[in-house]
Amino acid sequence: MEQHQLVSELCRVQELVRELDLHLHSSSPSSVAQCRRLAAEIVALTDRSIAMAATTTPPCSGAPSPLSDAGSDHPQHPFNTSSPKKRKATARWHDQVRVTATGGADDDGHSWRKYGQKDILGARHPRAYYRCTHRNSQGCPATKQVQRTDNDAGVFDVVYHGEHTCRPSVPRRQNPSQQQQHNPGAESLLQGLAARLTVATDAVGVAVPPMTPPESCPARGAASPWSLASPIGSDGYGGDLQEAVSAFAMHQTLDAAEFMQQENYFGFDYQSFDMDPMPSLFFQ
DNA sequence: GCCATTTGACCGAT
DNA sequence: ATCGGTCAAATGGC
């Protein structure tokens, strides 16, 4: 089954990213080399995944992506392409993310409060509903849904709904004055990587875009990071992923400490989701 | 006491 | 009638 293989490949990528993270926390020369090796392996895997996705599904014919969905008068639920059910006429799905390495409850720079959980018909795992913690205090309308995928419990579908209007909690970023001085090229590459970390397919609906950054981030423009990132290419697939990762691998000359200082690096930590620790890698 | 999570009930859409 | 999204009371942790 092509889809299953695709998911397996992406799960392997997830494992490699986790391993990469461990090495990134070490500044030893051997870890840098190991990071490069891991990045090269990620390149190969993502290359295969992209090719697999291209042969498995047509380009975004009906998949509700953050981009294609915008402006639609009939938003469709990202996880149920057959029977969309919207409660509010004004509701509109904003971002669909399949995160290969996140539980995503409160680790994207915003704090979330869980307000519900539902067993979804045909899904192996329940769907959890979160809203912004500042909903009452600041009227922030942002919500998100998190659901384990059927194929791999380590992969989550995350749907963001609505824009944050609140002032989020302080992100895990360092002094801006220390940023952009070590390796501007690598920073640029990281930004490119973040923008291109997408594998979107119609049937599988896989997307790994950057998480919504904190409002205080200087790199955040006036527009949504999604519109800036253009995560889905004109062909409907994240065809630049390999290129971006490859460039990252070749130019990643930062040690762990420097990497953590990068403008685009938002955090890499673990959080509990159903008792399983899930790593989260955030870029913008 | 405050805040977050859990979970059954409720409601709107289909 | 069924399903998905939300509400709100109960509960627990700090």
Side-chain angles (χ1 to χ4, degrees), chain A residues 147-164:
Chain A
Q147 184 177 8
R148 288 182 186 273
T149 60
D150 288 345
N151 291 329
D152 192 298
V155 181
F156 295 83
D157 283 320
V158 182
V159 172
Y160 291 87
H161 184 210
E163 292 277 347
H164 280 280

Side-chain angles (χ1 to χ4, degrees), chain A residues 161-219:
Chain A
H161 184 210
E163 292 277 347
H164 280 280
T165 60
C166 62
R167 301 294 298 178
S169 56
V170 177
R172 290 179 288 273
R173 282 176 61 246
Q174 308 300 319
N175 183 358
S177 66
Q178 298 177 351
Q179 299 167 8
Q180 296 182 323
Q181 355 179 310
H182 297 297
N183 194 332
E187 179 197 352
S188 174
L189 287 165
L190 279 170
Q191 197 157 16
L193 171 63
R196 293 162 181 170
L197 266 176
T198 297
V199 180
T201 72
D202 190 29
V204 182
V206 178
V208 190
M211 307 295 286
T212 303
E215 296 283 349
S216 58
C217 174

